[in-house]
Amino acid sequence: MGRFRTARALVATMVATAFLAVTGGVVADAPSHAAQTVSISSLKARAIYFQQAGKTADRDLAVSSMAATSAWEAKLWSGFVASWSSINNAMTMNTSVPSGLPGKGHVFVVLGSALTSSGKMSAKFERRLKLAVKALQKYPAATVLVSGGAARNGVTEGEAGRKWLLAKGVDESRIAVEKKSSSTIGNAKNSMALLATSNASSYSLISDSSHLRRASVLFDAASVLVQEGTGKAWSMERLANVAYPDMAGAGQGPLSDSSVAYTAGNVASLFGVSSAYNKLVSAPPTTPVLTGLTVTAPAKVTYRVGENLSTKGLVVKAVYDKGAYAKVVTSAATLSGFDSTAVGTGETTASYTDGEVTKTSSFRYSVIRAASKLSVKLSTKTIKRKKTRVVAKATVAASTSRLVPTGTMRFFLDGKLLKSIPLTAGSKGQARFTYPKISKAGKHKIVVKYLGNDTIEPARTPVTVKAK
């Protein structure tokens, strides 16, 4: 099955993955108030317009801006426009039934063609149905959906196709009919709605090679429409196709501008945004201009001296045309101003450039002293009264290796300060002290304290010894 996943599906998967990676999974975050001024339906119309105009950067901006209202729909559309672009560039046409399609759960969707005025089958429709019979013979577990509702003499395309298949020996249980549509737009919308209620997991379109590219875009769009309506992912896959070769070179090379524009008008109709789309065609919008930047601070805004900036949870959004568009640009933004070398507060600035326009926004952070760890090693913990002198070797280390502890190390015995030893950079955080002889039997507490300094916190380590 995998080798028949079309190029557009592979591109769609990669773009959708990239979309999530760039947004860091936070595209659903509440945007700035201004970014809510453009409806998601208007953004869909703009995405379709920019697609047909070949302005992919503007198209992607419109798609990413949908996340302000629905991260789910933005994800769906990012995959859809990528697959649409792939189809516009080229598309494989299978003039014979391909091998390797799923053994179960697969549907061959036959796109209807106008009947004669008396309700009889046209030659175009019949040749598509002949391909369907071959497909059903090769895949005994597959089913067929005949789509078409333009009635002639009281007969719909779907019903005429069903009767023709029955006459050719196809079992009635393998035939489904869609008989409401009067165009390829309706074929896609109504057929996908039917498949969404079935047990099918994949499908192939059967039509003329001159028709399949537009039909495939519309069926992909209809899949998005189904998922928008349910709010749930749909694993339905469009795999390969079966094409009657009515046009030489079909699928090879990019489509003409007029073909792309025609399909775009169909897509706008399917999503119910034709009015907004047509207005854009009549009065093309200018290229969006970067007008602002918003920053959601990272989850971590308190650091110890010497720590690096954490960008986990950081979200940088570029705002265009004063909120008409917005997109997450976290990975493309430049961060400056972070400094954790000293205790205090600071401000980190994010900047982003698009064209000749650069915008900035900042967030605050604070720096506290580095943590310290004090270890103490004793020459012995068992003491002979009036004879043994315990040697204590103390080593303090900061939580970051960039810092060398300086300050003072103090040595105590049973609560009494016996020695203060200064630590310099050359001390490498170490101090050594030989305790006096202990005359009293029993347990005694040795405590070593590091007093800390401006950049490192103090530390304290107690050790119990026993004198006999």
Side-chain angles (χ1 to χ4, degrees):
M1 179 177 74
R3 69 189 184 94
F4 282 103
R5 183 177 287 110
T6 58
R8 61 92 197 169
L10 291 174
V11 175
T13 300
M14 291 187 289
V15 171
T17 302
F19 180 82
L20 291 180
V22 169
T23 60
V26 292
V27 291
D29 284 356
S32 63
H33 178 72
Q36 299 178 16
T37 58
V38 178
S39 68
I40 195 166
S41 61
S42 177
L43 290 170
K44 290 175 182 178
R46 296 183 192 195
I48 296 167
Y49 170 78
F50 288 132
Q51 172 76 355
Q52 66 85 29
K55 297 182 177 181
T56 56
D58 294 346
R59 176 205 68 189
D60 292 344
L61 178 58
V63 170
S64 64
S65 298
M66 295 177 193
T69 302
S70 171
W72 171 242
E73 291 185 73
K75 177 185 175 183
L76 291 175
W77 273 74
S78 68
F80 166 56
V81 297
S83 69
W84 184 358
S85 293
S86 178
I87 292 169
N88 284 348
N89 289 330
M91 184 176 180
T92 299
M93 299 292 171
N94 299 290
T95 55
S96 60
V97 181
S99 301
L101 292 173
K104 294 182 180 180
H106 194 71
V107 181
F108 290 98
V109 180
V110 181
L111 301 182
S113 183
L115 304 176
T116 66
S117 59
S118 61
K120 293 183 179 180
M121 189 82 63
S122 67
K124 179 185 288 189
F125 195 6
E126 187 171 357
R127 69 196 188 196
R128 296 177 186 178
L129 290 168
K130 287 179 179 178
L131 290 174
V133 171
K134 291 180 180 180
L136 293 174
Q137 290 172 343
K138 188 165 185 174
Y139 294 95
T143 57
V144 62
L145 170 61
V146 186
S147 178
R152 294 288 187 274
N153 196 29
V155 180
T156 65
E157 296 164 27
E159 183 59 28
R162 186 185 75 85
K163 291 180 179 179
W164 189 95
L165 290 171
L166 288 172
K168 296 300 179 180
V170 178
D171 192 278
E172 189 170 10
S173 64
R174 301 179 71 188
I175 306 172
V177 175
E178 182 283 303
K179 50 187 178 181
K180 295 181 179 179
S181 59
S182 57
S183 67
T184 307
I185 299 170
N187 290 149
K189 189 173 181 178
N190 296 328
S191 295
M192 293 305 274
L194 286 174
L195 291 179
T197 62
S198 72
N199 294 322
S201 57
S202 59
Y203 70 97
S204 296
L205 296 178
I206 298 179
S207 188
D208 294 340
S209 59
S210 61
H211 182 222
L212 275 170
R213 290 170 89 167
R214 179 167 64 94
S216 296
V217 171
L218 291 172
F219 269 74
D220 287 350
S223 177
V224 171
L225 195 64
V226 168
Q227 293 174 88
E228 287 179 343
T230 62
K232 297 179 181 179
W234 188 24
S235 60
M236 175 65 71
E237 292 184 288
R238 176 171 59 81
L239 302 176
N241 56 55
V242 188
Y244 179 84
D246 67 326
M247 185 174 74
Q252 299 176 18
L255 287 169
S256 65
D257 291 345
S258 59
S259 293
V260 173
Y262 186 66
T263 299
N266 283 188
V267 172
S269 177
L270 187 146
F271 282 107
V273 295
S274 290
S275 178
Y277 170 75
N278 291 332
K279 287 180 180 179
L280 293 170
V281 173
S282 299
T286 58
T287 298
V289 176
L290 179 66
T291 54
L293 203 67
T294 65
V295 172
T296 299
K300 182 175 182 177
V301 291
T302 300
Y303 298 84
R304 292 189 180 276
V305 170
E307 281 191 312
N308 294 321
L309 174 67
S310 170
T311 57
K312 184 178 181 180
L314 173 69
V315 182
V316 184
K317 292 183 180 179
V319 178
Y320 291 77
D321 293 356
K322 298 182 179 180
Y325 306 94
K327 66 177 180 178
V328 176
V329 295
T330 308
S331 62
T334 300
L335 302 178
S336 61
F338 181 78
D339 184 359
S340 66
T341 58
V343 173
T345 59
E347 188 173 85
T348 296
T349 298
S351 62
Y352 177 73
T353 300
D354 191 338
E356 297 181 354
V357 180
T358 298
K359 294 297 178 180
T360 63
S361 187
S362 304
F363 62 89
R364 303 286 298 177
Y365 66 91
S366 61
V367 180
I368 60 176
R369 289 190 290 179
S372 60
K373 182 178 181 180
L374 177 62
S375 60
V376 177
K377 292 184 178 181
L378 302 182
S379 57
T380 181
K381 290 185 178 181
T382 303
I383 301 169
K384 292 184 178 181
R385 291 188 304 116
K386 299 181 182 180
K387 292 184 178 181
T388 306
R389 297 188 68 183
V390 177
V391 179
K393 183 179 179 180
T395 302
V396 63
S399 55
T400 173
S401 59
R402 300 176 187 176
L403 298 177
V404 178
T406 59
T408 302
M409 196 85 78
R410 288 182 173 175
F411 296 84
F412 296 80
L413 178 61
D414 294 331
K416 182 179 180 181
L417 175 62
L418 299 184
K419 185 71 174 181
S420 293
I421 299 177
L423 296 180
T424 64
S427 303
K428 298 181 180 181
Q430 296 181 348
R432 182 187 181 96
F433 175 64
T434 301
Y435 277 84
K437 298 174 182 178
I438 296 175
S439 58
K440 186 178 179 181
K443 294 182 179 180
H444 298 268
K445 182 178 286 187
I446 287 176
V447 176
V448 181
K449 293 181 179 181
Y450 168 64
L451 301 187
N453 59 24
D454 291 342
T455 58
I456 304 175
E457 290 181 338
R460 173 182 181 276
T461 298
V463 185
T464 300
V465 296
K466 188 174 182 181
K468 296 183 178 179

